[in-house]
Amino acid sequence: SRNNRAWLGCGLWFHGNLLQANEILRSLVEEAEAAGDPSATVFGQVCLSGTLAFRGQVAAARAAAHAALAASDSVGGMTEDTVNGAFAH
């Protein structure tokens, strides 16, 4: 499921396996966006933003954070606090 892959991607990020985390999270985000699943999109983009930031890909990290913010806004901004943390990376 998308939720499991989101947690797996974040776990890999936290353990420093950034390449594998990026792979899983990019796939998750693409699938979530295609399915119209804003919750999985937010979760995936926030974690993806972190992996990109830790890899030094600052512009891509900011783009992922902005995409997470847009997805959060589409459901009333209820996850905006979590998304704003992505901008701190």
Side-chain angles (χ1 to χ4, degrees), residues 2-79:
R2 285 188 283 272
N3 188 48
N4 290 343
R5 284 185 288 143
W7 283 109
L8 175 59
C10 284
L12 289 167
W13 164 34
F14 296 154
H15 284 277
N17 193 336
L18 302 177
L19 293 176
Q20 190 175 8
N22 263 354
E23 240 177 67
I24 290 168
L25 294 166
R26 283 187 193 280
S27 170
L28 165 71
V29 166
E30 288 174 9
E31 182 183 317
E33 288 176 343
D37 183 347
S39 296
T41 299
V42 169
F43 195 177
Q45 291 283 25
V46 166
C47 293
L48 182 60
S49 174
T51 65
L52 292 166
F54 277 69
R55 292 181 66 210
Q57 298 176 359
V58 177
R62 286 190 61 78
H66 281 288
L69 186 59
S72 177
D73 286 346
S74 77
V75 291
M78 64 184 188
T79 56

